[in-house]
Amino acid sequence: MVRKRKHGRREGRIVIGHKENGDSIFRYIHADTQKELTAKLRQNIDIYQGVDLTEECKMMLSEWLDRWLEQMSSVLRPGTQEHYRSDLEHYIKPYLGQNRLTQITADDLRKLYDTLKQRGRVHPRPGQSRGLSTTTVHSIHTTLHHALKSAVDQRLLPYNSADHVAPPKVAHKTMSILNDKQMDIFLSAVDQDPIWKDFFYTELTTGLRLGEICGLMWSDFNERKGALSIRRTLHKEKGGRLVVGDPKTCAGTRTIVLPSSTAELRRRRKKASYSPWIFHNPLQPEAPMNPSTAYHQLKKILTESSLPDIRFHDLRHTFATASLEHSMDVKTLPTIIGHVSSSTTLNIYAHVTDEMQRTAASKIDLVCVSA
């Protein structure tokens, strides 16, 4: 339908969906000339071809984001949900929240990302840039992409505008690990401490995530087989309360065979233990080790030993890198560290596998030359 409005403007409309009672839902398009209106109508007809939206498509983006986050609460880990909530409240709603859901365009998202990179930081510290890092903006794009995809799935949008926006490229940092000499220094530093020696030796020989190692219970340890089952993880909710949850991924629930030295440490520790947790809170044996306590202890050891200031997760990288360098099969490592697929492991540790290939090629050269 096309008609001429007051002041000479043209208006057209197309059907984009239906209400519960069967009435049509219209999208109105305006232009100064008939030619311009015809072009806009054709463009919108292409966009909405085969689409049948519900009447809730007219809600504001902020309303949909609240609803989406509530829908996701049953499947998201609390930490992930809080991360999404922060992205929505601080970076998306203030800029686009009052726009209708169906009016969000790829150009809107590009402008949003540019704004966030220039002045998106909510509370910059003195001397700190007002702009967000490309890593943070990329994360915000991922959150918004998930939300808009759900809107498409629920017939609130004809397409996901985030599909048509290239997020900022993430500058990957060089992986930090402890080399063999640094590992010796590190282990020597904790050698006389019965709590932290066992804890960090286990970490460096299993590559467990911080929440996984803190969540280990004696019921997870098969003393006869020297095996350890990873069944839970610990994480902190907002406010600091420790919560027991499922492992990070479906592959996170796993059983690993421990190195003989690590298994023996577990057997000796179990004989003297009076807690259900393998690594318990030193002041509350009935409670697990707080991940924050382990993190701060790591930082203390690194500082006192003049070692590089690495993250706890870098101990996991140290284990994985050492395993590959000592010829562990690339298909075996993912099952130990809990990656969903070998490709994930290969992507993360590409620098190691590349070096392994060069070493293998050199060995082939030697064989051929000697022949």
Side-chain angles (χ1 to χ4, degrees):
M1 174 182 171
V2 177
R3 64 177 178 173
K4 190 173 182 179
R5 301 291 303 272
K6 292 181 180 179
H7 310 296
R9 296 206 76 199
R10 267 70 173 177
E11 177 187 82
R13 71 179 188 184
I14 61 172
V15 176
I16 62 173
H18 294 86
K19 301 178 182 179
E20 288 187 6
N21 63 7
D23 289 348
S24 297
I25 300 172
F26 297 103
R27 178 175 179 82
Y28 292 88
I29 298 99
H30 300 90
D32 291 328
T33 66
Q34 183 67 36
K35 183 178 180 180
E36 182 184 355
L37 179 63
T38 300
K40 285 186 174 182
L41 281 172
R42 285 174 178 168
Q43 183 182 32
N44 276 268
I45 289 171
D46 289 340
I47 291 173
Y48 288 92
Q49 185 70 38
V51 172
D52 186 23
L53 304 185
T54 71
E55 56 190 307
E56 291 186 314
C57 66
K58 296 185 177 181
M59 72 172 72
M60 298 298 179
L61 176 63
S62 59
E63 182 182 351
W64 164 246
L65 294 176
D66 289 339
R67 181 183 299 188
W68 171 72
L69 196 61
E70 179 62 29
Q71 292 174 356
M72 296 293 290
S73 62
S74 62
V75 296
L76 291 178
R77 290 158 55 90
T80 304
Q81 185 173 11
E82 188 55 38
H83 169 74
Y84 282 177
R85 188 185 307 280
S86 177
D87 283 352
L88 303 182
E89 295 296 334
H90 294 142
Y91 307 121
I92 299 175
K93 286 185 181 180
Y95 297 96
L96 297 177
Q98 295 310 304
N99 293 31
R100 288 194 182 277
L101 183 58
T102 53
Q103 292 176 343
I104 303 298
T105 66
D107 194 47
D108 290 331
L109 301 188
R110 294 188 191 96
K111 290 178 181 177
L112 169 65
Y113 301 158
D114 286 342
T115 299
L116 294 177
K117 285 189 290 184
Q118 293 170 18
R119 56 178 187 277
R121 199 176 298 278
V122 180
H123 300 296
R125 296 189 297 271
Q128 188 179 34
S129 169
R130 291 192 61 203
L132 296 176
S133 68
T134 55
T135 301
T136 301
V137 178
H138 192 285
S139 174
I140 292 166
H141 166 81
T142 301
T143 301
L144 188 54
H145 188 281
H146 286 332
L148 296 179
K149 181 180 182 303
S150 292
V152 173
D153 294 340
Q154 297 179 41
R155 295 169 52 215
L156 302 176
L157 277 178
Y159 68 97
N160 186 348
S161 54
D163 283 339
H164 305 279
V165 180
K169 291 184 178 180
V170 176
H172 293 286
K173 296 180 180 178
T174 303
M175 186 179 297
S176 299
I177 62 172
L178 296 178
N179 59 35
D180 291 344
K181 182 179 179 180
Q182 291 167 339
M183 283 178 64
D184 289 340
I185 295 172
F186 182 83
L187 291 172
S188 294
V190 298
D191 188 58
Q192 302 306 314
D193 191 317
I195 296 175
W196 297 113
K197 174 184 178 180
D198 283 6
F199 183 89
F200 286 113
Y201 189 84
T202 300
E203 175 57 33
L204 286 168
T205 55
T206 60
L208 297 177
R209 299 178 177 93
L210 176 56
E212 292 174 344
I213 190 171
C214 290
L216 291 175
M217 304 184 75
W218 285 116
S219 57
D220 303 325
F221 178 52
N222 186 319
E223 189 171 355
R224 182 178 62 83
K225 295 183 178 180
L228 200 59
S229 295
I230 315 304
R231 297 168 174 156
R232 71 192 67 79
T233 186
L234 294 182
H235 56 263
K236 287 174 64 176
E237 282 189 336
K238 195 173 182 179
R241 186 171 72 93
L242 274 182
V243 177
V244 178
D246 294 328
K248 182 179 179 181
T249 65
C250 58
T253 302
R254 61 202 187 276
T255 298
I256 59 176
V257 177
L258 298 172
S260 57
S261 58
T262 308
E264 186 56 33
L265 278 177
R266 297 285 69 71
R267 294 185 185 100
R268 291 204 300 265
R269 187 177 182 86
K270 186 176 182 181
K271 290 178 181 178
S273 179
Y274 47 89
S275 170
W277 303 93
I278 293 181
F279 300 108
H280 61 76
N281 184 322
L283 302 178
Q284 297 176 285
E286 71 281 1
M289 178 71 74
N290 191 314
S292 294
T293 302
Y295 175 83
H296 291 302
Q297 183 64 27
L298 169 65
K299 293 297 184 178
K300 178 183 176 184
I301 296 168
L302 294 172
T303 301
E304 293 177 349
S305 305
S306 299
L307 289 169
D309 184 26
I310 62 173
R311 308 166 303 161
F312 192 94
H313 203 74
D314 292 324
L315 297 181
R316 176 174 166 86
H317 290 323
T318 297
F319 163 77
T321 299
S323 297
L324 290 171
E325 288 177 341
H326 288 81
S327 303
M328 179 178 284
D329 191 286
V330 177
K331 292 184 179 179
T332 301
L333 182 59
T335 64
I336 295 176
I337 60 180
H339 281 165
V340 174
S341 66
S342 298
S343 61
T344 301
T345 308
L346 288 171
N347 287 337
I348 296 175
Y349 301 104
H351 65 293
V352 185
T353 54
D354 286 348
E355 183 60 34
M356 290 167 64
Q357 289 181 27
R358 282 191 288 271
T359 301
S362 298
K363 290 179 180 179
I364 293 171
D365 266 348
L366 289 174
V367 172
C368 293
V369 169
S370 63

